[in-house]
Amino acid sequence: MISENVKKRWKGIAMVLSVCLLLSATVSVAAQSADMESDMLQEAQLQPPKEQRFTQTGSKKGLQFGESLDDAIDLGIKHCLFNVYITEFMDASGNRLEYDYNGKTYAFNLDAFERWGSLFSQLQDAGINLSVEFLLPWVDGQTDLIHPAARTPSATHNYYAWNVSAPEDAERYAALFSCIAQEFNGKNGLGYIYNYLIGNEVNAYSQWHYTGSDSLKENADLYADTFEIVYTAVKKQCTDAQVSICLEHSWNTNIPGRVHSAKSFLDAFAAARLEKYGSPDFTISYHAYSEPLTDAAFWNNSEDRVKDSVNSPCITMKNIEQLTKYVKAKYGTKTRIMLTEQGFSSHGADGQMKQAAAIAYAYYKAEYNDMIDCMIFRCQADAPGEIAHDGLYMGLWTQGMGSMKMSHDVFKYMDTPQGDAYTAVCRQYLGVQDWSQLIADYDAKHFAQ
């Protein structure tokens, strides 16, 4: 248990904290330079303890943001995602949080819990369901956290597989996530993490989850072991929390030395999880980016790369039904899908119009798909790193919250009773009079309340 002096410190309702350096979300395999950040200098006050659990909302709309919490709340989002480095919590060189787990005392970073808790508590108070993607970067002095075969520093390896190779290493990760789940459980004034994503785009085993191996079986087995450690620790503290495998959009595309196809990795992971741990329980966090990433008009994605078939090389928002049909048939309706990262760039001719249409169209496809629980877009404002590295302008605002784009109000109102009016220009751009011409189950009355 956490020491009583630490508990008292966390539960003081007059404490004022600053939220700094909130990490911007990573984009798909070819999309973003490593280690991008966006600053959010926001004073925050911890609120009195309050229990709140995830409940299905009238909207699946979500956003990754790092500039303005007030704007995010005004946009009416019900879901959000933040990236968090494991190394932040494991660094016990500053203020220490001592946590007893299985008869051993572990030291974690108290400041990291307080810093993230000051933000997460505000999200909870605003009724926004929180997903957190836990990432392991290379940090000198903490390389013991990395899987032994992956301890090779490189600019091409943005994040690394976790070291769960020995019992004491696995136990350390179990202790950390038991502590995280206990403190971010919605009852301690630190907010509630609803969805735990274990790594980013883990089928991309070189760039986004470096393992040191090209073997599908080795990588799937390692990930199944890691997933089980986190799953067990989290579920003991928060039985209704979700634990997710995170995949990118290369559904049937293998890239030697870089990427296992998402489908092959999902199936190998699920088989290993069932065989080794007897559990079929997992949630899928999928990144339904366009193919190519720069093409906001996903409905025009290449017929060669994006097919109306489960054998499609890629699954984007154009053919997202192929993913949900496959998962429903093979893993059942209880295996939920969360679209936790996808965005559309406003660059090029009629770029802002195209972006707004893409956001509304993609959102309605997700909203009326009964296998999808949320759709989280990136990002709030154009990210400098994405502009410089890939020429992508995915924000609802220009860089630095400079000016509001056409997509901002479309995004804000598309899940409200005013949605039909605010998305009329999108329908006109797409050449339809009514969304039901594109989405069979669309019903404007869905958002009447």
Side-chain angles (χ1 to χ4, degrees):
M1 294 296 293
I2 300 176
S3 61
E4 287 300 316
N5 62 314
V6 170
K7 285 186 178 179
K8 290 176 184 177
R9 187 175 178 185
W10 282 5
K11 292 185 178 180
I13 65 175
M15 186 189 303
V16 178
L17 302 170
S18 295
V19 180
C20 302
L21 296 176
L22 298 184
L23 305 172
S24 69
T26 56
V27 187
S28 63
V29 172
Q32 182 183 2
S33 58
D35 220 12
M36 286 172 45
E37 298 177 341
S38 61
D39 292 342
M40 184 189 199
L41 301 176
Q42 171 97 21
E43 292 269 315
Q45 183 173 346
L46 291 181
Q47 300 299 315
K50 171 175 137 183
E51 182 171 4
Q52 179 172 314
R53 291 290 188 265
F54 172 84
T55 55
Q56 292 293 337
T57 65
S59 173
K60 300 178 184 180
K61 184 175 74 178
L63 181 68
Q64 295 180 0
F65 65 93
E67 290 79 15
S68 170
L69 177 59
D70 289 342
D71 178 65
I73 292 173
D74 183 62
L75 285 165
I77 64 171
K78 298 300 181 185
H79 304 269
C80 70
L81 179 143
F82 282 90
N83 288 345
V84 173
Y85 286 177
I86 293 169
T87 48
E88 292 183 58
F89 292 102
M90 287 291 201
D91 179 9
S93 61
N95 292 321
R96 292 161 63 92
L97 184 162
E98 293 188 349
Y99 184 75
D100 291 338
Y101 185 81
N102 284 353
K104 183 177 179 180
T105 300
Y106 293 84
F108 301 126
N109 190 295
L110 175 63
D111 295 333
F113 279 87
E114 291 182 336
R115 182 171 61 250
W116 285 108
S118 63
L119 170 66
F120 294 169
S121 65
Q122 293 179 88
L123 299 174
Q124 179 181 3
D125 291 341
I128 299 171
N129 296 302
L130 171 65
S131 292
V132 173
E133 188 167 80
F134 290 93
L135 303 169
L136 180 58
W138 182 280
V139 175
D140 291 337
Q142 292 185 280
T143 57
D144 60 317
L145 297 173
I146 297 172
H147 183 62
R151 291 175 190 167
T152 305
S154 171
T156 62
H157 308 324
N158 294 330
Y159 304 118
Y160 293 79
W162 307 0
N163 179 20
V164 296
S165 54
E168 60 270 22
D169 299 315
E171 189 85 346
R172 177 170 54 166
Y173 271 107
L176 173 64
F177 279 92
S178 177
C179 184
I180 289 173
Q182 176 176 298
E183 298 311 313
F184 297 113
N185 67 358
K187 296 180 285 187
N188 295 319
L190 297 176
Y192 177 60
I193 300 175
Y194 164 64
N195 182 26
Y196 290 72
L197 286 74
I198 310 309
N200 174 64
E201 298 186 348
V202 295
N203 58 306
Y205 58 88
S206 178
Q207 187 173 9
W208 296 112
H209 194 75
Y210 182 60
T211 63
S213 172
D214 290 349
S215 167
L216 173 63
K217 178 171 172 48
E218 287 181 10
N219 291 342
D221 283 351
L222 172 60
Y223 188 73
D225 293 341
T226 307
F227 191 97
E228 178 64 17
I229 290 165
V230 177
Y231 178 90
T232 300
V234 168
K235 287 290 189 176
K236 283 183 178 178
Q237 300 291 346
C238 299
T239 57
D240 56 348
Q242 302 287 346
V243 184
S244 292
I245 175 175
C246 180
L247 302 168
E248 50 87 73
H249 76 183
S250 300
W251 182 241
N252 279 296
T253 299
N254 288 291
I255 305 174
R258 291 177 54 195
V259 177
H260 299 303
S261 75
K263 180 175 178 290
S264 67
F265 193 87
L266 172 64
D267 289 345
F269 156 74
R273 179 156 169 68
L274 188 61
E275 178 183 351
K276 299 176 77 171
Y277 302 107
S279 174
D281 188 18
F282 57 89
T283 300
I284 299 169
S285 289
Y286 190 81
H287 295 176
Y289 280 104
S290 292
E291 175 65 23
L293 185 69
T294 52
D295 185 8
F298 65 84
W299 52 92
N300 289 330
N301 282 174
S302 165
E303 294 290 342
D304 293 331
R305 298 286 296 154
V306 185
K307 302 176 183 293
D308 190 22
S309 165
V310 73
N311 298 316
S312 176
C314 296
I315 288 182
T316 73
M317 286 311 298
K318 179 181 181 180
N319 62 344
I320 193 66
E321 299 81 9
Q322 296 304 323
L323 172 65
T324 59
K325 287 177 184 177
Y326 181 79
V327 172
K328 181 185 288 188
K330 184 154 188 173
Y331 299 111
T333 58
K334 291 184 179 180
T335 302
R336 307 304 300 166
I337 296 170
M338 301 183 181
L339 303 180
T340 51
E341 185 188 314
Q342 44 278 307
F344 304 103
S345 179
S346 64
H347 72 278
D350 68 357
Q352 287 204 25
M353 181 68 257
K354 189 184 299 182
Q355 181 194 44
I359 287 174
Y361 188 7
Y363 171 72
Y364 289 136
K365 290 195 76 173
E367 181 64 48
Y368 293 98
N369 188 312
D370 64 4
M371 287 293 292
I372 296 173
D373 283 348
C374 69
M375 185 171 193
I376 301 175
F377 292 88
R378 63 163 293 101
C379 44
Q380 188 171 35
D382 292 338
E386 292 177 357
I387 296 172
H389 190 265
D390 296 288
L392 295 171
Y393 298 77
M394 291 188 170
L396 303 176
W397 294 77
T398 60
Q399 183 177 334
M401 303 288 283
S403 61
M404 192 182 295
K405 297 185 190 177
M406 180 184 299
S407 58
H408 185 277
D409 280 356
V410 168
F411 182 91
K412 178 177 180 177
Y413 292 105
M414 64 188 181
D415 61 336
T416 72
Q418 294 80 37
D420 204 50
Y422 276 88
T423 62
V425 65
C426 301
R427 296 194 303 274
Q428 182 179 4
Y429 181 77
L430 293 166
V432 297
Q433 296 296 315
D434 189 271
W435 286 112
S436 61
Q437 293 174 252
L438 296 173
I439 300 152
D441 296 329
Y442 177 82
D443 180 6
K445 295 178 181 178
H446 178 67
F447 300 113
Q449 300 301 318

